[in-house]
């Protein structure tokens, strides 16, 4: 009996001190979009975003195939913003070379007619 109570106490303490889980995901209906998903999958399940920003960034590297080398390469980056209305949160997704790498939760959305005002 003592082991059961001690185990329950230890389990409860682990839950309390575990902290929040990473939230790099966005739900569209019953589908969950997570890091590594291609942009085509996200668009198929979530529809077109309300805004897309595109840019190219230069990423440097010091090693190539285990050898010490210096170089850089260009990465295509897109930021997609989704507005699901005033009763749901907005999301900003970051894609690098067509793959989802980050999901940022923004504030509550708005009615599309309010965006013009």
């Amino acid at each position: 009996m003592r082991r059961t109570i001690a185990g329950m106490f230890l389990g409860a303490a682990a839950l309390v001190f575990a902290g929040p889980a990473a939230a790099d995901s966005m739900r569209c209906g019953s589908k969950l979009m997570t890091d590594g998903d291609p942009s085509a999958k996200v668009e198929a399940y979530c529809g077109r975003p309300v805004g897309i920003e595109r840019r190219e960034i230069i990423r440097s590297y010091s090693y190539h195939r285990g050898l010490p080398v210096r170089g850089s390469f260009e990465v295509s980056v897109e930021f997609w913003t989704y507005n699901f209305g005033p009763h749901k949160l907005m999301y900003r997704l970051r894609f690098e070379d067509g793959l989802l790498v980050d999901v940022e939760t923004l504030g509550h959305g708005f009615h599309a007619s309010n965006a013009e005002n």
Side-chain angles (χ1 to χ4, degrees):
M1 178 76 165
R2 280 187 161 177
R3 285 187 184 185
T4 304
I5 293 173
M8 289 174 38
F9 178 73
L10 186 60
L15 287 174
V16 169
F17 295 111
D24 276 358
S25 63
M26 178 179 82
R27 187 168 295 283
C28 293
S30 64
K31 304 296 182 188
L32 189 64
M33 305 300 112
T34 59
D35 288 356
D37 285 341
S39 58
K41 175 187 174 185
V42 175
E43 187 173 356
Y45 288 121
C46 304
R48 293 286 300 160
V50 294
I52 298 177
E53 298 174 42
R54 292 180 177 92
R55 65 181 75 138
E56 304 296 320
I57 62 170
I58 303 296
R59 184 157 292 151
S60 60
Y61 59 89
S62 300
Y63 289 91
H64 180 68
R65 296 185 183 180
L67 300 173
V69 192
R70 288 211 176 273
S72 62
F73 58 98
E74 195 171 85
V75 178
S76 174
V77 178
E78 290 187 348
F79 294 95
W80 291 13
T81 303
Y82 279 94
N83 172 18
F84 296 117
H87 301 293
K88 295 187 178 183
L89 296 174
M90 291 177 52
Y91 293 91
R92 184 174 186 206
L93 283 61
R94 178 184 172 121
F95 292 91
E96 291 184 8
D97 287 333
L99 297 177
L100 184 60
V101 296
D102 188 47
V103 177
E104 179 184 1
T105 304
L106 307 175
H108 280 85
F110 51 84
H111 290 293
S113 61
N114 291 348
E116 299 169 4
N117 294 334

